[in-house]
Amino acid sequence: MARDVDRVAALDHAQDCGEVGLRLGGGDLADHVLTITSGQRKLGILCCFSGHFFLAAPVHYACGRTPATAESSSTAPHAKPAPLVLGEASARAVAALVAKHGESQRAAAEAGVARVAARWSANDGDAAAFEAFCTKHFVADPAEHTRLLARVEGALEQISGHLYEMRRTLRRHHDLRGDEFEGVDDILAQFDPSPDLSEQLYRQKLAHLALLNFARPKLDEMLRDGPSWSVDQWVGARVAHQFGPRIPAELSDRARKNSFEAGKFVADFHVPVGGLVDANGKRWFEADRRLIAHWLVREEIKAGYGDPDGVHKQRALSWVMARHIDGTIPVRVMNGSEKRDWNPAKNTVAGGEPGELLGLVRYEHWIKNFRMAQEFDPLYPEEPTAIARKFALEREMPETEVEKLMVDLLESPVRKDIAAFMAKKLGRTLEAFDIYFDDIVEAKPAGEMNAAVKARFSDVKDLERKLPTVLRELGFSAEDADFLGTRIRVEVCKGAGHAMRPELEGYGAWLRTSSLEKEIGWDGFDTAMHELGHNLEQLCSTYFVKRPAMRGVPNTACTEAFAFLYQSLAKRVIGVESAAEAERQFAVDSVATMLAACQIAGPSLLELRAWRWLYANPKATAAELRAEVLRIAQDLWKSYYERDFGQDPYNILAAYQHMIAHPLYLPDYTLGHMMSHQIRSYMRGKDLAAETKRITSLGCLTPDLWMRRAVGSPVSPEPLARDAAVGLKFLGHAATR
């Protein structure tokens, strides 16, 4: 997928959940099993999202900030050790600690002992062992407490960092194109080098030591008190948040397998379009062409704007999207055995019946994801749903706040003016697929753009070699350009593209993109610039943040902000846009970003509401889920899109495959567009390189605090809507001159 709105988040959160990274254990799988793209907390098999050491179970099941313990007990399947009654032992431990350290330590002792009691099991010892552990390992002296924090922080950095690097290497051939080993790469990608780690962190008492001494604040406390915290307070919170529920190994293993299978379903869903015909019977693609849904189907819809008769191709491809959404693609078309004409609008093959259809497989995967989430729910009494865990633990933004941001964006008055601008530009009434339109000004022909890329970079390795030069041209000092540019490895992947961060100093970032057979091509380079933005965030937030527990950014939307920012510079890098055109380009990008943000906001809201419906109807079947998803798609369309784009026969808001591979990740793209524009708008007239380094080095605060320190205001759609309105006027005036 070569454009903004979706960099597969599958492990960074596998194949961006985020890009993904680890924070002190936090990652970017958007998930996922190795989150790929974005952010700092997605790790996948070493899931450390949002500050949790969660091995093996993808973030969207277990939580967002995957707990250090989210992985594993070596007991029998789902079997949990008999709970211990620790009330009296807890009281004795607190009394002993107060007697030893004074009444001033009572509150800290009570809280710490309670945290340990909540996680203590028979595997850790009896009540006497619990009491002895608490009285021995509680640290009251401030200097010693600081020393303990640094010691535990450093240990977790090494544990999570080395395991993360193992996971990156084990997934390498599965993710890359060109050296596949059938039957082997999948096994290596799913191999977990530490299946019992999270349980051992408890059994060997490291987790208990941390929970006894470091507070584990809830999101509302972090939002309220975080602005006044010291660095050590933030580090203590991040360390404590690495340890969550003790999840049975059997459950963790099944979650990992389910996540892998969902991701594989999406990665393998390439629709053959060689026999596709439009309403006039015209074929548009070579016989062996296949398009991955939804990404490349959408990109080919976009490509239709450059063809005088492209609207017929766009309508046909939108029906392909519709068939992918509702499961009515003919099986023979999908498996490639059907060579005759396929009319997706009528869903006929050679003018006749389509035969067997794919059916509910997409929604069966969605239901499996939900069922897995349900199994994790009881383990998180404070965040008892996948939705709560995604927002409170991983995203660290209240669910209602994020939903309001997206609704406010969609209700922006400027959208009506932008739609009128689009209709005038296209010379026709807008249709549902025009939500993908983003060519605000005339795009250069694909051949010309491909040639411009090839003139600058012969292939991905040439791009890799020249990255230090590219960074110098973008304003980085020679020292920073060399430091950052030489730590990025560029490779060609099977999917659309993703970025993977280093988790330890001494390692580099991985930039994965698509490529034409003998050259990168514009789409591949456009994707590469998006991933470069991720890489710069990842490297800066790893090497320029002093405390390991604070490395990374608050959530995947923050890293997407820099991905979109640097993607907007792609044309400048290959010399088809001069710096002198900056004002015009800012106007164009403001309008285009508004379109992109609104386009992804609808699918984001759809997925959120579908998950709410699932929790309200926990026994729903795949067929019932499909019906509800289609109903929500129509409801949202009527509320926020129909006025400008007319009716939608395709249910196009339900197209995004992230809903299957990376559950509940989509809002990060919407937030990423808003935040990226806020940052870019703030950076106008400022030093791009210096501000990139400053902002990405703020550390893993909450997103709200991070944005306030980055640009002086909280996350808001207002700057984007405002600049889009100004940009629209600028473009309208320019067009009349």
Side-chain angles (χ1 to χ4, degrees), residues 93-106:
V94 171
L97 291 172
V98 171
K100 181 178 180 180
H101 300 293
E103 187 63 32
S104 64
Q105 293 297 314
R106 178 178 293 279

Side-chain angles (χ1 to χ4, degrees), residues 149-167:
L149 179 60
R151 190 67 55 87
V152 174
E153 178 187 18
L156 292 178
E157 174 195 18
Q158 293 301 308
I159 295 169
S160 64
H162 285 293
L163 285 171
Y164 171 83
E165 294 302 335
M166 282 190 237
R167 284 304 313 155

